[in-house]
Amino acid sequence: MIQCETSFSAFKSLLQSPLKLIKRHSGSFRTLWQSQSAVPSTFSDSDISARVIDDNNLLRPSLNSKTGLHVLDLIDCGSLEPDRILYNTLLKRCTQLGKLKEGKLVHFHILSSKFRNDLVIQNSILFMYARCGSLDNARCVFDEMPRKDMVTWTSMITGYAQNECTNDALMLFPHMLREGVKPNEFTLSSLVKCCGFIASYGDGRQIHACCWKYECHSNVFVGSSLVDMYARCGCLGEARLVFDKLGCKNEVSWNALIAGYARKGEGEEALALFVRMQREGYRPTEFTYSALLCSCSIMGCLEQGKWLHAHLMKSGRKLVCYVGNTLLHMYAKSGSIWDAKKVFDRLVKVDVVSCNSMLIGYAQHGLGKEAMQQFEEMIRVGIEPNDITFLSVLTACSHARLLDEGKHYFGLMRKYNIEPKVSHYATIVDLLGRAGLLDQAKSFIEEMPIEPTVAIWGALLGASKMHKSTKMGAYAAQRVFELDPSYPGTHTLLANIYASAGRWEDVAKVRKIMKDSGLKKEPACSWVEIENSIHMFVANDIAHPQKDKIHKMWEELNQKIKEIGYVPDTSHVLLFVDQQEKELNLLYHSEKLALAFALLNTPPGSTIRIMKNIRVCGDCHSAIKYVSLVVKREIIVRDTNRFHHFHDGFCSCGDYW
């Protein structure tokens, strides 16, 4: 019961006076006898409790009636006068608290009242169902309404949009227009969000035209949604144009554009907007930091990520939910796994997403035992693992050569009622294949309860290349070609396998197939971050301003590492040429040039971090091990598979990648 100015005893005596109705309007309580004859001569505390309801407890359950709610009992027994305000208040409370069960009880009660066809009440019912995620009930109410207004249509469209039923929302809009109902800014912003969610540029353009037609294009909510929609469709030019023409901006507008640039990998432009946003008086939110940190993760920009971390701390924000998780992910993806662990230990609240981010980081760095310890700790504290959790642990086991442990965790999925997905099966194939158990991996594929996909056969193909098994590689490649002839990387892997075996005629055949099909190998490139700038290199790069110094540096290093045992691995050269030409072909690979540039432009003793867009080649891997021994520095290389930490002539992968 809410505290009120009149004492309970005073209220008790008040009820004993001859009244027709006492209705609450002061913010304290409702009670409620409708006739003098209904007022008993004496009262017990239980009598009063049964006929008094607290506004903060409107959804109090009923124990002795079919209505299910005490407030509905009071209406049925004549103690409370039903009106539009009361029903709307009940529906609003159900909507705010997400109480679908109680909302259905109120709806059922309204059907037997005089308000069953009231448009305002019906709109409230529809909105309640939509916000509670019960779209079937919402649509049923919508279809049965004899009259509909703009609020009705907007509630249904917004409900679809908020529950990611984008096609249903977009299909409903033309019907709304045909009924002659004019949309408002909330209708249009919901529709624009739907187009952005499915990245439908064509539909987005049409809705944008409607925004102009109904003069909502300058509205900040509609404008922000348009910026986000164009950005999600990859049309940053149009997103920027809409943004620049917005007369009134808010944090959402800025975040939408910043996130768009971040997703496209244009981190410098995203950071420039971040600075401009603050200069114009807008405060960055968790969404702002999250988008920027994701951009740093993609490019592996550790220094920029650290700057954002410092800015985040200076703003007084705590490491909560997604911003803490994206910060953790940034450090892990940028090669600083122990900084990621420090962030994890300082999170305000650890959940399954946080644990998964840490597990993924351990997996990418080949820290299988640490990943297993993290998994056991999350189970100990009561965090339920999901399919991503197990995928991360299995990947960690695969990268760390933990065969038995990987099999154990795969079997453990059944205990948590998690059905393995294609990605889990592919990881087990990778686990077996990396361990050299190619026949077991093939048998596992054939005995799976699901049909093998290109990803699963691709895992076997990759393992075949690793162990130079021409027969198994050709078999796996054939299965991939049957399912998807254009699957990326398959032809290159097969050509590598044939080249390693000296089967140059087969290499030529694979290359001819690639040429006839219009398939091209993805160009390899490597990059390093120096003083907040990204420097990118391709093989035999001559475009960099320091090209002469870079080439000279690598030639000197190449000579030094040869003196201590480095031998170029020419099996990775897919050309039928003599040994000297093969060695020359290996000399200026992109990661070698990036390493030489970093040595020229970073302080002695500092860690060097190199990123590569494809798998690091075996010869470069061997060369960098020797370089780490010569220059006495740690060199971290991130490729598409994992991180390699080179130090004192050794790699963290143990030559197992």
Side-chain angles (χ1 to χ4, degrees):
M1 175 66 87
I2 301 176
Q3 183 68 34
C4 59
E5 294 179 4
T6 308
S7 68
F8 193 71
S9 58
F11 176 63
K12 194 171 177 181
S13 63
L14 179 63
L15 288 177
Q16 296 173 3
S17 61
L19 297 173
K20 286 190 174 180
L21 178 66
I22 301 175
K23 291 180 68 176
R24 165 267 187 214
H25 285 293
S26 63
S28 299
F29 45 71
R30 298 175 187 261
T31 124
L32 303 116
W33 275 271
Q34 282 196 317
S35 67
Q36 185 175 346
S37 60
V39 183
S41 56
T42 59
F43 298 92
S44 67
D45 287 347
S46 60
D47 290 330
I48 295 173
S49 176
R51 300 178 187 272
V52 175
I53 187 162
D54 179 354
D55 254 14
N56 286 344
N57 199 20
L58 280 175
L59 302 182
R60 167 184 164 189
S62 171
L63 301 177
N64 302 311
S65 78
K66 294 181 180 180
T67 66
L69 293 176
H70 181 55
V71 66
L72 301 180
D73 290 346
L74 293 176
I75 293 173
D76 284 352
C77 73
S79 297
L80 186 60
E81 180 183 350
D83 58 22
R84 180 188 286 175
I85 295 174
L86 175 58
Y87 279 130
N88 265 325
T89 301
L90 290 170
L91 290 167
K92 183 178 180 181
R93 189 66 56 85
C94 293
T95 304
Q96 290 171 338
L97 300 176
K99 298 285 189 179
L100 179 61
K101 179 182 176 182
E102 289 79 358
K104 286 182 177 180
L105 293 173
V106 177
H107 180 198
F108 183 76
H109 198 273
I110 290 169
L111 291 176
S112 60
S113 75
K114 64 181 180 181
F115 298 104
R116 60 184 177 277
N117 291 322
D118 184 278
L119 181 60
V120 175
I121 296 291
Q122 287 183 318
N123 283 339
S124 296
I125 295 169
L126 169 59
F127 187 67
M128 180 272 297
Y129 279 129
R131 286 299 294 269
C132 290
S134 183
L135 294 180
D136 289 339
N137 283 318
R139 187 57 189 256
C140 186
V141 171
F142 177 85
D143 291 337
E144 293 177 358
M145 288 175 67
R147 291 187 301 124
K148 300 180 180 71
D149 62 3
M150 182 267 295
V151 175
T152 313
W153 290 92
T154 299
S155 295
M156 195 68 246
I157 288 172
T158 303
Y160 280 135
Q162 290 174 339
N163 289 277
E164 299 179 2
C165 298
T166 53
N167 290 326
D168 292 310
L170 293 170
M171 289 173 64
L172 196 59
F173 183 54
H175 295 287
M176 177 183 183
L177 298 180
R178 279 196 289 269
E179 291 293 323
V181 182
K182 180 180 176 181
N184 66 2
E185 63 270 24
F186 301 108
T187 322
L188 293 168
S189 63
S190 295
L191 290 164
V192 171
K193 287 175 184 175
C194 288
C195 298
F197 185 77
I198 59 175
S200 177
Y201 176 76
D203 289 331
R205 290 274 293 177
Q206 292 186 55
I207 302 297
H208 191 180
C210 289
C211 296
W212 277 88
K213 179 178 179 179
Y214 295 104
E215 299 180 347
C216 293
H217 59 281
S218 59
N219 178 272
V220 66
F221 301 109
V222 174
S224 299
S225 299
L226 285 167
V227 172
D228 184 59
M229 181 272 293
Y230 282 122
R232 288 180 181 274
C233 292
C235 303
L236 288 177
E238 289 173 81
R240 188 62 178 261
L241 190 62
V242 172
F243 177 83
D244 290 339
K245 288 188 175 181
L246 274 178
C248 178
K249 299 180 179 69
N250 61 11
E251 285 78 7
V252 177
S253 321
W254 288 94
N255 289 345
L257 191 59
I258 288 171
Y261 280 114
R263 279 193 297 269
K264 290 283 282 186
E266 298 188 26
E268 290 186 15
E269 190 61 40
L271 283 170
L273 276 171
F274 175 68
V275 173
R276 181 184 154 195
M277 171 187 187
Q278 294 170 87
R279 284 177 180 167
E280 295 190 17
Y282 297 93
R283 290 193 64 191
T285 66
E286 284 84 358
F287 290 103
T288 321
Y289 289 110
S290 182
L292 291 165
L293 288 167
C294 284
S295 174
C296 294
S297 301
I298 293 168
M299 294 299 293
C301 300
L302 182 62
E303 296 308 313
Q304 291 181 1
K306 284 182 175 180
W307 178 78
L308 285 167
H309 186 186
H311 198 284
L312 178 68
M313 293 297 98
K314 286 180 181 178
S315 70
R317 299 181 187 276
K318 295 182 178 180
L319 296 178
V320 295
C321 55
Y322 48 84
V323 90
N325 294 333
T326 51
L327 180 62
L328 186 164
H329 186 64
M330 182 278 296
Y331 277 118
K333 287 283 285 183
S334 299
S336 190
I337 187 66
W338 303 120
D339 283 328
K341 183 64 168 68
K342 289 177 184 177
V343 172
F344 179 82
D345 291 338
R346 293 171 185 171
L347 290 175
V348 173
K349 181 182 178 183
V350 174
D351 57 13
V352 68
V353 177
S354 318
C355 292
N356 288 348
S357 297
M358 200 66 238
L359 287 169
I360 292 168
Y362 283 139
Q364 290 172 334
H365 287 264
L367 300 171
K369 291 182 179 179
E370 286 81 355
M372 291 191 297
Q373 289 171 2
Q374 182 66 56
F375 179 87
E376 299 302 331
E377 176 63 17
M378 70 178 285
I379 298 300
R380 188 187 67 79
V381 299
I383 298 175
E384 188 83 4
N386 58 21
D387 60 313
I388 297 173
T389 311
F390 280 101
L391 180 61
S392 304
V393 176
L394 290 173
T395 303
C397 291
S398 178
H399 286 174
R401 209 183 311 205
L402 299 172
L403 181 62
D404 293 335
E405 291 84 349
K407 291 179 178 179
H408 164 72
Y409 286 113
F410 185 72
L412 196 62
M413 294 178 70
R414 298 189 188 92
K415 177 181 176 182
Y416 294 95
N417 298 317
I418 297 173
E419 192 68 27
K421 297 181 180 178
V422 169
S423 53
H424 298 94
Y425 287 112
T427 307
I428 291 295
V429 172
D430 184 64
L431 175 72
L432 294 168
R434 283 174 183 270
L437 305 174
L438 298 178
D439 290 330
Q440 283 192 33
K442 180 174 175 286
S443 299
F444 177 81
I445 294 173
E446 293 170 345
E447 294 169 5
M448 289 189 315
I450 64 170
E451 285 296 316
T453 64
V454 289
I456 291 171
W457 287 117
L460 182 60
L461 176 60
S464 301
K465 177 187 178 297
M466 179 181 179
H467 294 284
K468 298 181 180 179
S469 175
T470 307
K471 182 179 178 181
M472 189 65 78
Y475 175 81
Q478 185 59 39
R479 303 288 82 75
V480 173
F481 292 147
E482 290 172 0
L483 294 169
D484 184 0
S486 62
Y487 189 69
T490 306
H491 295 81
T492 304
L493 278 173
L494 184 58
N496 281 333
I497 292 172
Y498 285 144
S500 297
R503 294 170 55 173
W504 298 108
E505 289 184 6
D506 290 322
V507 172
K509 288 178 183 177
V510 173
R511 284 186 165 179
K512 187 177 185 302
I513 293 171
M514 291 179 68
K515 184 178 180 180
D516 294 343
S517 304
L519 298 173
K520 292 183 179 180
K521 178 185 175 183
E522 182 183 3
C525 65
S526 301
W527 63 94
V528 289
E529 180 192 19
I530 307 290
E531 295 181 353
N532 292 323
S533 294
I534 301 296
H535 298 263
M536 192 167 290
F537 300 87
V538 295
N540 302 306
D541 202 321
I542 57 172
H544 198 278
Q546 298 184 36
K547 62 180 184 300
D548 294 334
K549 291 182 179 179
I550 293 169
H551 283 213
K552 184 180 178 181
M553 167 63 82
W554 181 253
E555 288 162 6
E556 292 175 356
L557 280 172
N558 193 52
Q559 186 60 38
K560 288 180 181 178
I561 61 179
K562 279 184 175 180
E563 292 172 0
I564 61 173
Y566 163 68
V567 177
D569 185 356
T570 56
S571 66
H572 298 279
V573 179
L574 304 183
L575 298 171
F576 187 51
V577 293
D578 61 32
Q579 185 69 16
Q580 187 175 357
E581 283 194 51
K582 286 183 177 181
E583 289 187 19
L584 187 62
N585 183 273
L586 293 171
L587 188 59
Y588 300 116
H589 274 195
S590 63
E591 52 265 63
K592 292 176 178 176
L593 296 178
L595 175 55
F597 172 77
L599 288 167
L600 286 168
N601 293 276
T602 55
S606 61
T607 300
I608 294 173
R609 291 178 171 83
I610 300 170
M611 310 294 159
K612 190 175 182 183
N613 67 327
I614 61 174
R615 187 177 182 268
V616 64
C617 90
D619 176 68
C620 291
H621 187 272
S622 176
I624 295 172
K625 282 198 298 183
Y626 282 100
V627 171
S628 71
L629 182 61
V630 169
V631 300
K632 304 297 180 185
R633 293 169 72 169
E634 182 180 15
I635 303 166
I636 300 174
V637 178
R638 185 188 89 182
D639 66 12
T640 51
N641 283 355
R642 59 170 296 156
F643 280 89
H644 301 266
H645 294 252
F646 299 92
H647 190 70
D648 289 335
F650 296 95
C651 179
S652 60
C653 73
D655 297 335
Y656 186 79
W657 90 102

